[in-house]
Amino acid sequence: MVNSAPKIVTPDSVADRLTALLGDSLIALTFANEEVALHVRRDALAQVMEQLRGQEYQQLMEIAGVDYPDRPERFEVVYCLLSVTKNHRLRVHVSTDEDMPVPSVTHIWPVAGWLEREVFDMYGVVFEGNSDLRRILTDYGFKGHPQRKDFPLTGYVELRYSEDDKRVVYEPVKLAQDFRSFDFMSPWEGAEYILPGDEKAKGEAPGAPTPAPAAPAASTPKTTEKKADTGAGEAANKAAEVKSADAPAKPASATDEGEGVAKPEDKA
């Protein structure tokens, strides 16, 4: 099957050239899945981007955020660059936390304004130098950053658009059932209750009725691989033609012009 993904061309010795270009601004260079990823110092991000822009990586395609809660600097901001002339893609990674800002690259790519705003809205990462860094979800009274791993996914307040008030309103969650109880245990953690059907794997409970023993399996399974096994065939047809001695006699035909059709005079 032909892969539908666009073909990626990795220029020869690109790793050596980028390592020599970025110098001490480069923390690590990794190559996986035919893609080059550059991990750079946060304070040198703007300089690195200008250098890559001069190396014909003309377009900033996307800025993504990644959350690693176990790391001291739990967030990574990933910049996806494209060189149209080289037909090559690059990813640039910088790490930060909830307080340390990341230098904005809006002066290099104006499209970064909206992309940085999305990362700030979803992860809370602050971009220094972005003059329009505002919440996108503010209009809905949204609190918190939804893409963080520790973002609460349950609550007792819901919001909806009210046709009467012509705005989004908050109100307590209304459920149809009388008793509200949520099971927050993940099946992957090992549930303590028994799912329907699992009790069969542990045998019958004490005091349960003993089921009837199953019939033993036949040593030779019955098959119908040839005509004689089905009871049909020429022998069966000849046997069907033999009339039994007590069979009733067939009545004679009432007319000579057609069996079963009588003339009007025959009925008179």
Side-chain angles (χ1 to χ4, degrees), residues 21-69:
L21 173 68
L22 301 181
D24 59 357
S25 300
L26 180 65
I27 299 175
L29 185 149
T30 59
F31 183 79
N33 300 324
E34 301 182 352
E35 292 187 7
V36 177
L38 305 173
H39 297 261
V40 303
R41 293 192 352 250
R42 183 177 57 256
D43 57 344
L45 175 66
Q47 176 186 347
V48 169
M49 289 301 193
E50 291 177 353
Q51 290 175 306
L52 294 176
R53 178 68 176 84
Q55 293 295 314
E56 298 182 341
Y57 288 93
Q58 303 95 344
Q59 296 187 3
L60 172 65
M61 306 303 295
E62 182 61 278
I63 300 178
V66 187
D67 186 11
Y68 299 97

Side-chain angles (χ1 to χ4, degrees), residues 3-216:
N3 193 341
S4 59
K7 182 176 179 57
I8 299 174
V9 177
T10 301
D12 296 335
S13 67
V14 62
D16 297 336
R17 289 192 296 104
L18 292 176
T19 301
L21 173 68
L22 301 181
D24 59 357
S25 300
L26 180 65
I27 299 175
L29 185 149
T30 59
F31 183 79
N33 300 324
E34 301 182 352
E35 292 187 7
V36 177
L38 305 173
H39 297 261
V40 303
R41 293 192 352 250
R42 183 177 57 256
D43 57 344
L45 175 66
Q47 176 186 347
V48 169
M49 289 301 193
E50 291 177 353
Q51 290 175 306
L52 294 176
R53 178 68 176 84
Q55 293 295 314
E56 298 182 341
Y57 288 93
Q58 303 95 344
Q59 296 187 3
L60 172 65
M61 306 303 295
E62 182 61 278
I63 300 178
V66 187
D67 186 11
Y68 299 97
D70 298 334
R71 296 183 181 179
E73 295 184 355
R74 59 181 291 181
F75 300 115
E76 274 196 2
V77 183
V78 184
Y79 301 80
C80 302
L81 305 183
L82 171 65
S83 173
V84 180
T85 53
K86 297 181 179 179
N87 188 22
H88 189 234
R89 299 175 185 270
L90 274 182
R91 285 187 284 112
V92 180
H93 297 241
V94 293
S95 61
T96 185
D97 58 15
E98 303 176 10
D99 300 324
M100 291 184 290
V102 176
S104 175
V105 294
T106 52
H107 63 288
I108 306 174
W109 293 286
V111 69
W114 175 266
L115 301 176
E116 290 176 352
R117 192 183 310 162
E118 283 189 321
V119 175
F120 168 72
D121 202 15
M122 297 296 167
Y123 293 90
V125 176
V126 181
F127 291 87
E128 185 177 15
N130 189 321
S131 59
D132 194 14
L133 200 65
R134 51 188 165 87
R135 297 295 306 272
I136 302 173
L137 299 175
T138 302
D139 296 341
Y140 303 98
F142 210 90
K143 297 180 181 179
H145 305 281
Q147 292 300 317
R148 291 189 181 183
K149 296 289 181 60
D150 51 3
F151 182 77
L153 300 180
T154 59
Y156 292 87
V157 179
E158 63 182 3
L159 71 163
R160 65 176 180 85
Y161 181 78
S162 173
E163 285 291 345
D164 298 333
D165 300 334
K166 301 300 180 183
R167 64 183 180 85
V168 177
V169 297
Y170 284 87
E171 57 187 18
V173 176
K174 297 178 182 178
L175 299 179
Q177 63 268 27
D178 296 333
F179 181 68
R180 173 175 174 162
S181 177
F182 294 103
D183 181 8
F184 296 101
M185 177 177 288
S186 170
W188 301 102
E189 299 173 352
E192 297 179 354
Y193 51 83
I194 301 176
L195 296 175
D198 286 355
E199 68 279 3
K200 298 178 181 178
K202 297 182 179 179
E204 297 290 341
T210 303

